[in-house]
Amino acid sequence: MHRISRDAAGKPSLIAWEGDGNPSPIGLDQLSEEVQALRVRRPSFRESWLREGAGARRERRGSDRFVEVPWDEAFELVAGELNRVITTHGNNSIFGGSYGWGSAGRFHHAQSQIHRFLNAIGGYVKGRDSYSFGAGSVIMPHIAAPMEELLDQHTDWNTLAAHNELFVAFGGIPLRNTQMTAGGPSRHRVREALDQMRARGVRFVNISPLKQDIDGAAEWLPIRPGSDVALILALLHVLISENLDDRKFLSRYCVGGEQVKRYVLGEKDGQSKTPEWASAITGVPAHRIIELARDMGRSLTMINASWSLQRQSHGEQAYWAIVTLASHIGQIGQPGGGFGIGYGTLNSVGSSELRLSGPRLSQGSNPVEQFIPVARIADALLEPGARFDYDGGTYEYPDIRLVYWAGGNPYHHHQDLNRFISAWRKPETIIVHEQFWTSSAKAADIVLPASTTLERNDIGFASREGQMVAMRKLQEPLADAKSDFDIFGGITRCMGKEGEFTEGRTAEEWLENIYEDFRQRNTTLVALPGFCEFWEAGRLEIQTPNKPTIMFERFRADPERHPLKTPSGRIELYSERIASFGYDDCPGQATWLEPLEWLGSQKTARFPLHLLSQEPSRRLHSQLDHSPHSRSGKVMGREPILLNPKDAIARGIADGDVVRVFNDRGACLASAQLSGDLLDGVAIIATGAWFDPTDWALTNSLEKHGNPNVVTIDAPASKLSQATVAQSCLVDVELFVGELPAVTAFDLPKFAAEDTARSKSPRV
Ligand SMILES: Nc1nc2c(c(=O)[nH]1)N[C@H]1C(S)=C(S)[C@@H](COP(=O)(O)OP(=O)(O)OC[C@H]3O[C@@H](n4cnc5c(=O)[nH]c(N)nc54)[C@H](O)[C@@H]3O)O[C@H]1N2
Ligand SMILES: Nc1nc2c(c(=O)[nH]1)N[C@H]1C(S)=C(S)[C@@H](COP(=O)(O)OP(=O)(O)OC[C@H]3O[C@@H](n4cnc5c(=O)[nH]c(N)nc54)[C@H](O)[C@@H]3O)O[C@H]1N2
Ligand SMILES: [Mo]
């Protein structure tokens, strides 16, 4: 969280808030020239769309010129196009899933604004689940509890420091990721929490291809990506065969223990899941698997999995296996043990601050029932009418004619971007609200300029962060930028729906309204002052009752009175319901299923390196990639690719060389960075380098900046969740020879002179 400071001449700059002992530098250079230079300044229309009509020359998306148009005309054009599409094709031809993070601030939260707007005009096709934990959010309610409920009740760090002895972290606890919380973190607590645990003698084991996934002292067990389920099955094999499993816990709190045992011992498929079996799959030596299992069976053990473990082919199985393992150890519901599925993903996970549902703008209700699993956007656009499985049901993809996005960047977040370019050509019209000329903005038909958090008043709040902040506007919006609220207000006015959208309130009146609503909803939990007093104070501490949080504490104390919401009320190590779906890619219990791509697959003959694309340390996804802080992490302007020296030397690659990263789906350039702290055979490119194809007109051109999503697979984790599998990806890397193409990701698009465009335009 930042604060505004002014120099003697009154010039503002952003500094970290003093109350934070470990502040994040991301975001402090939002006022820099580099950032401001890429602002969208005026409503901008793709020239061919404006001159020739909706749907014209869609292959020019990304390279066409833009024409800037005054707001009154822009509102009319957008309203007219929405009316056309709704009248001709119905509201279920509008995709408003509009996935993404957007800025901090509860009122100007772009996702709430766009969904409220689309509901006000009759509804839209939504996207379900998330890229973050799509597989987890579909499987966890079947076996334990909904993902959000679990994340909210992670045993807090203080309790862990007091009780935990052994912390086994699959995917580590990377501090770089705990810079964030959706809504905005306040005090960055995780570094201190880990220090405190170490001071109390807690042992950390980092099971990950990357040593730095735990900063500071930890044992490192390098593992092949995507193979964790095999390792966990072998740990279970040791626990079961050495009688270290807690049978009482299994019979009182779980269903399916017998099925697990039969599978682990090889009675179901003839393959005993021994440490030797797992060692061949995972690369972890058998003796270390045996030692770890014994340590886990004899210590107060917390088992944690990062979200990356399920952002994979068959990602559901990893989470099911984690819960199965923790159930066999039998410490779920106790203060020092159990499982976590998110320590080290966000600052808020493991917080002991109060859980409160924050101020929010109602989104209204959506009369359109059709949805898509969020990561299936390209399938939906490419194959309207095709049927898909999802969580036990069968559904049909809608026929999308118009895509509306605010607060997300699909050319950042989606997989197999070359395929996505083809999908993006299907809709007749694409409307984007953006602050910056990102790749998604450049590839839209209509780009409406959004103001930034520094240009509007808002309320900063995130559950379990212990604070509420009056985010006071620093300056007027740049050029013609407007808040998403004012943009939607203008469009609804032209459509005769303004009342439905604004309910007659201004943005400032809404702030007070959502604050007072929040205050009243939570009076029993916390005493808060009236809105004016809050706004005057600038920052409220939301007092913590200092009560430890222990996941599943009540369930453990009395499972009959406090059953889980699963069909049996218990932890389901075997799920009759999932088994009844009959999915070959998601059977009824945690099962080792080979990922589509991994180091054990035959495809390694052509593409021998496993590429991981983790969260970036210097930005939030693609946000502020153009900032000096993010750019200083690049090498010669390109995103680094981390390689083990063995893999680099074998390919004649030295530190700092520009390399071509490729597979059958595409290729990108990146700068080699060598590190022995990465398992050989694995490569890493952080996500978020702005997509920068050599030629937008092609669907296989070289990406110049280091965006890993040109090579990732766009396939579902399984029929159960249809979630993204960004982490299951094989590539090869070679030294780039030839003339290096310049990075153009941070160039503005081309603009047509306004008069020429308009004089020829039949529409204006
Ligand atoms: N290969 C690979 N791909 C991944 C992942 C991975 O691990 N590997 N991770 C996935 C995950 S977990 C996620 S969550 C996604 C993230 O994907 P996104 O959430 O789409 O990424 P962001 O870069 O945060 O995009 C937010 C956009 O909103 C804009 N914005 C910010 N504030 C406002 C506002 O107030 N109004 C408007 N109109 N716009 C605003 C920003 O400028 C930015 O372009 O990426 C996914 N993609
Ligand atoms: N600074 C910063 N922080 C962020 C974000 C950001 O953009 N920037 N994004 C936020 C968001 S939206 C999300 S969803 C979370 C994501 O949180 P996560 O999904 O947990 O984060 P990742 O960085 O993708 O993965 C963590 C680590 O898992 C390891 N790993 C990858 N695959 C495997 C595997 O198969 N097995 C094992 N054992 N380890 C593996 C990688 O080495 C990686 O460093 O992060 C949040 N935090
Ligand atoms: Mo995410």
Side-chain angles (χ1 to χ4, degrees), residues 99-104 108-110 130-133 307-308 311 405-410 412-415 432-436 438 448 450-453 456 484 612-615 620-624 687 690 707-709 712 724 726-727:
Y99 182 80
W101 265 57
S103 305
H108 292 290
H109 177 235
S130 66
Y131 283 76
S132 310
F133 43 74
W307 294 343
S308 59
R311 215 177 291 117
W405 226 290
N409 186 356
H412 157 70
H413 66 234
H414 196 61
Q415 284 56 64
V432 165
H433 293 193
E434 252 301 346
Q435 299 163 330
F436 303 105
T438 60
L448 302 177
S451 55
T452 68
T453 47
R456 53 202 190 202
D484 296 289
L612 296 175
S613 40
Q614 63 183 21
E615 304 298 343
L620 174 62
H621 318 124
S622 69
Q623 292 191 57
L624 295 176
T687 59
W690 284 12
N707 184 317
N709 276 325
T712 52
T724 178
Q727 304 303 345

Side-chain angles (χ1 to χ4, degrees), residues 24 73 83 164 170 315 333 359 405 458 508 544 572 581 629 715 734:
S24 165
E73 283 175 33
N83 281 331
N164 175 243
F170 289 82
W405 226 290
D458 210 339
E508 265 56 35
T544 311
E572 302 219 347
F581 299 158
H629 181 62
E734 66 183 14

Side-chain angles (χ1 to χ4, degrees), residues 176-177 207 213 226 228 308 311-312 614-616 619 621:
R176 67 164 198 280
N177 287 356
I207 302 179
D213 276 341
D228 302 79
S308 59
R311 215 177 291 117
Q312 305 209 4
Q614 63 183 21
E615 304 298 343
R619 54 187 176 254
H621 318 124

